[in-house]
Amino acid sequence: DAKTTQPPSMDCAEGRAANLPCNHSTISGNEYVYWYRQIHSQGPQYIIHGLKNNETNEMASLIITEDRKSSTLILPHATLRDTAVYYCIVATDNNDMRFGAGTRLTVKP
Amino acid sequence: DGGITQSPKYLFRKEGQNVTLSCEQNLNHDAMYWYRQDPGQGLRLIYYSQIVNDFQKGDIAEGYSVSREKKESFPLTVTSAQKNPTAFYLCASSKAGGDTQYFGPGTRLTVL
């Protein structure tokens, strides 16, 4: 079973920031938070991951709360090509990854 | 051009036939994985291999078999024992067992 809870769907206006929440209240100290996304009928694409500090890369930012029980993925300027299913996963390593149903983000013009 | 390839993109088989799905990577990754995805669902781990000549069962290994004779190849056989084989199959690899996974484009298997 997935160890995370995400809203099933969200909408975002093109050019605005998309903030995708994830709850992981049972996360343990050695588990990372990973984010992947999957565009329809393609393989998932890695976005970002973190342990407890906030992280940023060219695709997104990851904000993890101090108690590590939740996190937010931020796409700073969403485009139509960001429409996808976004998966939040907690795992100690990649052999333990559990992909839930994710959040279906729709970016609208 | 490095990456993970899966072929074919679409595969059709008759019920009762075994079928082997190909997964090749030229990323020099040690670890490789097979997942299954059903419509509207997340991914479920079938098998994974952290090193050549070794592999481990995932959550839904029944009805599937794998081999890892070469570092770059991790074929998956869907046997006739798999009750509901029609699904989207995804292969992934990572540098080692604890690193970020990179996915192939997937193979959509339909059993008629």
Side-chain angles (χ1 to χ4, degrees):
Chain A
D1 291 329
K3 303 176 187 176
T4 61
T5 304
Q6 298 177 255
S9 64
M10 292 182 63
D11 291 341
C12 176
E14 188 178 18
R16 305 295 295 267
N19 298 299
L20 291 91
C22 180
N23 287 323
H24 31 80
S25 57
T26 60
I27 193 170
S28 55
N30 60 347
E31 287 184 313
Y32 286 78
V33 180
Y34 291 86
W35 283 85
Y36 284 77
R37 73 180 182 185
Q38 186 177 25
I39 295 168
H40 183 62
S41 294
Q42 296 182 22
Q45 176 190 23
Y46 166 79
I47 302 173
I48 199 166
H49 75 283
L51 185 62
K52 44 186 176 178
N53 296 324
N54 298 338
E55 303 286 344
T56 295
N57 63 21
E58 64 279 4
M59 288 182 69
S61 294
L62 173 60
I63 309 298
I64 302 173
T65 57
E66 196 167 335
D67 63 7
R68 302 207 325 123
K69 293 185 177 182
S70 66
S71 61
T72 301
L73 179 75
I74 301 172
L75 308 178
H77 305 286
T79 71
L80 299 179
R81 287 183 294 181
D82 291 321
T83 292
V85 177
Y86 287 77
Y87 297 101
C88 169
I89 302 152
V90 296
T92 51
D93 61 45
N94 277 244
N95 296 332
D96 191 33
M97 300 193 90
R98 297 291 184 269
F99 287 75
T103 295
R104 183 172 298 279
L105 175 69
T106 302
V107 180
K108 299 187 173 180
Chain B
D1 195 15
I4 303 172
T5 56
Q6 292 184 245
S7 59
K9 189 166 177 64
Y10 298 96
L11 189 56
F12 297 88
R13 280 294 182 269
K14 291 184 180 177
E15 195 172 340
Q17 289 181 333
N18 291 356
V19 58
T20 297
L21 280 59
S22 160
C23 178
E24 304 276 331
Q25 54 96 1
N26 61 4
L27 300 167
N28 200 32
H29 284 174
D30 284 319
M32 297 186 75
Y33 312 81
W34 273 106
Y35 292 89
R36 169 186 172 133
Q37 187 174 35
D38 293 289
Q41 305 294 313
L43 281 66
R44 292 184 289 169
L45 184 64
I46 305 173
Y47 269 98
Y48 65 95
S49 166
Q50 296 203 49
I51 199 166
V52 175
N53 291 324
D54 184 58
F55 49 83
Q56 306 295 328
K57 292 182 179 180
D59 295 330
I60 56 164
E62 186 175 348
Y64 299 98
S65 65
V66 293
S67 63
R68 186 86 189 278
E69 296 175 2
K70 297 187 295 183
K71 188 175 185 177
E72 58 270 23
S73 178
F74 191 40
L76 173 75
T77 297
V78 184
T79 75
S80 56
Q82 168 49 234
K83 290 184 172 44
N84 297 298
T86 294
F88 188 44
Y89 289 89
L90 288 154
C91 178
S93 72
S94 64
K95 208 172 198 180
D99 293 324
T100 301
Q101 289 186 20
Y102 296 91
F103 286 80
T107 292
R108 192 168 296 281
L109 173 65
T110 302
V111 175
L112 306 170

